């Protein structure tokens, strides 16, 4: 039965009306369907809460060159989608605009005043590879304050960077991170890259706790990094009372003093072991080896020549076995450790503390104890790698009991501290522990992932709105799982045979249906 002209017009009008209605609803009611496992294309609850709390106009200027080649065109699309999300949840206070400064000298000068530099991108024009200037930066304006992202490069971390800028601009005070000094710790110059990364979000200062110098109350987290000298009872009391007041502490500790130059190692006693045990953990006096490891360069004699060659060195583990259930470390890259020690996790439960293992060695690892000979040319046997998943980094949370709850600290006359106001129990607070203090030093950093891992731990210690949850997102294309040659051949055969077979079967079925319908029509006449 053929449709009448009136029916066709009515159906067309109905379809147009439905489309218009859906568009009106989509403008007024924002929603997004995100099927990715890490919700990579949706704002986290932390970002939503942050942008909802804006009490004044917040403007983002995106200086982005139009018509960029792949993959930069995708950067612009992804950025615009994210800014749309922020705007949708901001109750009108978050606004953004895209500006193309590449063909306007005044706009170029404006971008550069905001410290947005041009970058060079490769473009194919007229079958030739050319280098062109482009802009891919953001400036954030709130009141009389401003921040920027000079170049949008890593889409995985884009939401974290944007939310961090919003938090920094809208916060009344900047969080202060203290790096402990006074006990042979590496100086600030040796931690330059780590400090620069922290300084993007925090105010980083040195805190000397030698001879019981007090830790300022405005220090949100104290980092104790690779000390080499013993802590006195007064020094430990200062640390303990800082924790009792709700302070957060990161222990990045070398338990073994070892260098490749000496090819020997020895236990480094800094007199903190009893403090660790009070807080529910223990850094063992051992050295973890791992079959998954970095290389070292050695010199070998070949006749009259000296040859430089690289060999795997198990005492430089490449650790990537993160706790998949912990958002602090989920989806982070591998960390290269230097003579890392294992952590005893058996003490926390009896003290009512919540301990989580954040990072372990691989399933082929082991430990050296007692006498430490670390010559890279010595043979390594399979028997040396029989252990699995040795804890290398942990977090501890809860209400901690003071190390000095049942005794008084031994304080000499050189200390200027008082024990009159001693606290014996803490409010709920946090500690992170890594059995290596060198992995964030400039001369030991294997990859930037070392810095990202350490910074994530600090973020978690001081995080008050949950921004660390954002870093667990991953928008990278997932690699295909490896399959056997037989499976690969079978899948290829199915791909070749199945589509034509479906077409043939569909054609036969449709032909038989037509034949049957024709016969019914002939019989009804």
């Amino acid at each position: 039965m053929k449709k009448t002209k009136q029916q066709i017009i009515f159906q067309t009008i109905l379809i147009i009306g439905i489309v218009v209605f859906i568009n009106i609803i989509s403008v007024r009611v924002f929603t997004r369907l995100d099927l990715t496992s890490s919700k990579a294309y949706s704002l986290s609850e932390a970002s939503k809460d942050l942008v909802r709390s804006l009490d004044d106009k917040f403007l983002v200027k995106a200086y982005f060159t139009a018509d960029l080649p792949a993959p930069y065109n995708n950067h612009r699309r992804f950025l615009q989608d994210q800014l749309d999300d922020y705007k949708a949840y901001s109750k009108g206070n978050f606004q953004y605009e895209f500006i193309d400064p590449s063909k306007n000298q005044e706009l170029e000068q404006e971008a550069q005043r905001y410290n947005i530099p041009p970058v060079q991108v490769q473009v194919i024009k007229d079958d030739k590879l050319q280098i062109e200037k482009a802009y891919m930066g953001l400036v954030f304006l709130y009141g009389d304050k401003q921040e920027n992202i000079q170049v949008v490069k890593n889409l995985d971390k884009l939401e974290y960077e944007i939310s961090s800028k919003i938090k920094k601009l809208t916060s009344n005070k900047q969080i202060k991170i203290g790096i402990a000094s006074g006990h042979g710790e590496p100086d600030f110059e040796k931690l330059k890259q780590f400090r620069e990364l922290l300084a993007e979000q925090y105010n980083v200062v040195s805190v000397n706790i030698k001879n019981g110098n007090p830790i300022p109350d405005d220090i949100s987290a104290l980092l104790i990094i690779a000390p080499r000298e013993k802590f006195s009872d007064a020094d430990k009391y200062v640390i303990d009372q800082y924790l009792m007041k709700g302070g957060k502490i990161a222990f990045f500790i070398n338990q073994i003093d070892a260098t490749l130059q000496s090819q020997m190692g020895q236990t480094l006693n800094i007199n903190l072991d009893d403090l660790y045990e009070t807080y529910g953990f223990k850094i063992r006096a051992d050295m973890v080896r791992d079959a998954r490891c970095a290389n070292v360069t050695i010199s070998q004699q070949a006749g009259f020549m000296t040859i430089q060659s690289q060999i795997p060195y198990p005492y430089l583990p490449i650790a990537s076995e993160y706790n998949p259930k912990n958002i602090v470390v989920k989806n982070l890259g591998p960390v290269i450790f230097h003579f890392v020690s294992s952590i005893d996790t058996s003490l926390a439960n009896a003290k009512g503390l919540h301990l989580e293992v954040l990072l372990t060695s691989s399933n082929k690892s082991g430990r050296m104890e007692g006498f430490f000979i670390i010559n890279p040319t010595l043979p390594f046997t399979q028997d040396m790698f029989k252990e699995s998943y040795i804890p290398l980094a942990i977090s501890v949370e809860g209400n901690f009991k003071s190390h000095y709850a049942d005794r008084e600290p031994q304080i000499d006359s050189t200390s200027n501290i008082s024990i009159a106001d001693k606290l014996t129990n803490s409010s709920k607070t946090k500690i992170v522990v890594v059995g290596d203090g060198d992995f964030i030093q400039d001369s030991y950093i294997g990859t930037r992932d070392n810095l990202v891992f350490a910074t994530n731990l600090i973020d978690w210690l001081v995080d008050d709105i949950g921004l660390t949850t954002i870093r667990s997102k991953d928008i990278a294309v997932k690699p295909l799982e490896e399959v056997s040659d037989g499976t690969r051949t079978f899948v290829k055969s199915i791909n070749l045979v199945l589509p034509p077979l479906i077409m043939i079967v569909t054609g036969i079925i449709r032909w038989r249906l037509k034949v049957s319908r024709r016969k019914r029509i002939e019989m009804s006449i």
Side-chain angles (χ1 to χ4, degrees):
M1 181 179 178
K2 293 184 179 180
K3 295 180 180 179
T4 64
K5 185 176 181 180
Q6 289 81 2
Q7 287 177 319
I8 294 173
I9 293 174
F10 175 75
Q11 289 180 352
T12 302
I13 294 173
L14 182 61
I15 292 170
I16 294 173
I18 292 172
V19 171
V20 171
F21 178 75
I22 291 173
N23 275 277
I24 292 172
I25 294 297
S26 65
V27 169
R28 295 182 177 272
V29 180
F30 178 82
T31 187
R32 182 185 293 277
L33 182 63
D34 188 349
L35 301 180
T36 58
S37 58
S38 64
K39 300 300 178 185
Y41 298 95
S42 304
L43 287 187
S44 67
E45 286 303 318
S47 292
K48 293 176 185 177
D49 291 341
L50 183 64
V51 80
R52 285 188 190 115
S53 67
L54 291 174
D55 56 5
D56 202 353
K57 296 298 181 184
F58 190 102
L59 177 62
V60 179
K61 289 187 175 184
Y63 291 93
F64 231 91
T65 301
D67 301 322
L68 286 171
Y72 307 110
N73 55 347
N74 183 56
H75 285 31
R76 181 188 175 103
R77 180 72 260 174
F78 184 85
L79 171 62
Q80 187 170 348
D81 287 345
Q82 284 222 323
L83 294 177
D84 280 336
D85 283 8
Y86 280 100
K87 182 178 179 179
Y89 290 106
S90 71
K91 302 176 183 177
N93 284 323
F94 185 96
Q95 300 294 327
Y96 75 88
E97 58 180 324
F98 272 83
I99 301 169
D100 183 1
S102 58
K103 297 179 181 179
N104 186 308
Q105 189 173 2
E106 290 185 5
L107 291 176
E108 277 199 87
Q109 292 173 353
E110 179 180 289
Q112 290 168 16
R113 282 198 300 271
Y114 285 128
N115 201 23
I116 304 296
V119 294
Q120 291 183 333
V121 296
Q122 294 182 343
V123 180
I124 297 178
K125 286 186 178 180
D126 300 326
D127 298 325
K128 293 181 181 179
L129 183 63
Q130 301 178 10
I131 304 296
E132 291 192 358
K133 183 172 65 174
Y135 288 86
M136 295 185 291
L138 304 175
V139 62
F140 303 84
L141 303 172
Y142 183 74
D144 59 350
K145 297 185 288 186
Q146 68 181 52
E147 287 287 331
N148 67 46
I149 298 174
Q150 293 185 332
V151 183
V152 175
K153 293 184 292 187
N154 191 340
L155 298 184
D156 287 358
K157 302 297 183 288
L158 183 58
E159 184 190 344
Y160 178 81
E161 290 181 330
I162 293 174
S163 292
S164 296
K165 300 300 182 185
I166 297 173
K167 182 182 178 184
K168 187 174 182 179
L169 288 175
T170 57
S171 178
N172 293 326
K173 64 177 183 177
Q174 192 174 23
I175 295 173
K176 190 177 287 187
I177 303 295
I179 298 181
S181 63
H183 298 84
E185 297 89 348
D187 58 42
F188 265 27
E189 278 304 306
K190 294 180 180 179
L191 299 169
K192 185 177 180 181
Q193 295 183 56
F194 179 55
R195 286 191 300 106
E196 287 177 350
L197 192 58
L198 283 180
E200 293 179 3
Q201 188 69 19
Y202 310 111
N203 182 15
V204 183
V205 299
S206 177
V207 178
N208 191 324
I209 57 176
K210 186 73 172 179
N211 297 324
N213 285 331
I215 299 170
D217 292 336
D218 61 350
I219 297 296
S220 297
L222 180 70
L223 316 186
I224 301 176
I225 303 173
R228 298 182 58 83
E229 300 172 7
K230 284 187 176 183
F231 286 73
S232 68
D233 225 28
D235 303 335
K236 293 194 290 186
Y237 182 76
V238 167
I239 296 171
D240 178 85
Q241 291 300 292
Y242 170 76
L243 185 70
M244 294 304 105
K245 293 176 184 177
K248 284 86 173 178
I249 304 177
F251 291 100
F252 298 163
I253 302 297
N254 289 331
Q255 198 75 340
I256 305 299
D257 181 18
T259 62
L260 268 175
Q261 288 74 21
S262 66
Q263 298 187 2
M264 296 283 290
Q266 60 182 357
T267 302
L268 185 61
N269 180 16
I270 56 174
N271 196 32
L272 288 181
D273 289 353
D274 54 351
L275 207 64
Y276 303 153
E277 292 185 30
T278 302
Y279 302 152
F281 65 92
K282 183 178 180 181
I283 305 175
R284 292 191 175 101
D286 60 20
M287 194 181 294
V288 175
R289 53 179 171 253
D290 200 319
R292 184 189 300 158
C293 59
N295 294 332
V296 294
T297 302
I298 63 170
S299 300
Q300 294 177 314
Q301 201 70 30
F304 298 103
M305 300 178 62
T306 301
I307 300 174
Q308 302 286 331
S309 59
Q310 287 196 331
I311 61 172
Y313 188 50
Y315 294 110
L316 303 183
I318 299 177
S320 59
E321 299 293 341
Y322 290 104
N323 183 343
K325 297 179 181 179
N326 190 296
I327 59 173
V328 180
V329 293
K330 186 179 179 182
N331 294 332
L332 293 184
V335 175
I336 300 177
F337 287 118
H338 294 259
F339 309 116
V340 62
S341 297
S342 65
I343 301 172
D344 185 343
T345 62
S346 63
L347 306 176
N349 190 49
K351 299 176 182 294
L353 300 169
H354 176 67
L355 184 149
E356 277 197 75
V357 176
L358 303 177
L359 180 59
T360 71
S361 63
S362 75
N363 60 346
K364 294 181 179 179
S365 52
R367 285 178 262 214
M368 179 190 288
E369 298 176 294
F371 193 62
F372 301 97
I373 300 177
I374 54 175
N375 188 336
T377 61
L378 292 177
F380 292 92
T381 63
Q382 291 186 356
D383 289 340
M384 301 170 74
F385 302 96
K386 287 188 173 181
E387 292 188 75
S388 299
Y389 310 120
I390 300 171
L392 307 178
I394 64 165
S395 66
V396 190
E397 290 183 86
N399 302 100
F400 294 84
K401 182 180 179 181
S402 170
H403 181 62
Y404 298 94
D406 303 318
R407 66 185 184 90
E408 301 300 326
Q410 301 299 313
I411 299 174
D412 57 36
S413 58
T414 61
S415 301
N416 55 359
I417 60 176
S418 171
I419 61 173
D421 299 322
K422 181 177 70 174
L423 300 175
T424 57
N425 288 281
S426 77
S427 56
K428 188 172 183 180
T429 188
K430 310 173 185 177
I431 291 175
V432 293
V433 186
V434 180
D436 179 16
D438 294 332
F439 75 105
I440 53 172
Q441 295 187 46
D442 289 357
S443 56
Y444 293 96
I445 294 172
T447 67
R448 186 174 172 81
D449 291 320
N450 282 34
L451 300 178
V452 173
F453 168 65
T455 306
N456 238 41
L457 298 183
I458 309 309
D459 287 345
W460 175 75
L461 283 179
V462 301
D463 194 6
D464 56 351
I465 63 171
L467 285 186
T468 47
T469 61
I470 305 171
R471 277 188 169 166
S472 66
K473 293 188 175 184
D474 182 11
I475 67 168
V477 177
K478 304 295 184 184
L480 296 176
E481 294 183 5
E482 289 290 332
V483 296
S484 65
D485 291 339
T487 302
R488 192 180 297 113
T489 302
F490 175 76
V491 172
K492 285 181 179 179
S493 301
I494 291 294
N495 286 337
L496 288 172
V497 174
L498 192 59
L501 185 61
I502 291 174
M503 295 296 294
I504 293 170
V505 171
T506 302
I508 292 173
I509 292 173
R510 292 192 63 183
W511 171 66
R512 292 303 306 168
L513 290 173
K514 285 184 178 181
V515 170
S516 298
R517 186 170 57 185
R518 188 182 302 114
K519 287 183 177 179
R520 286 197 301 271
I521 293 172
E522 291 175 351
M523 292 176 65
S524 63
I525 295 175

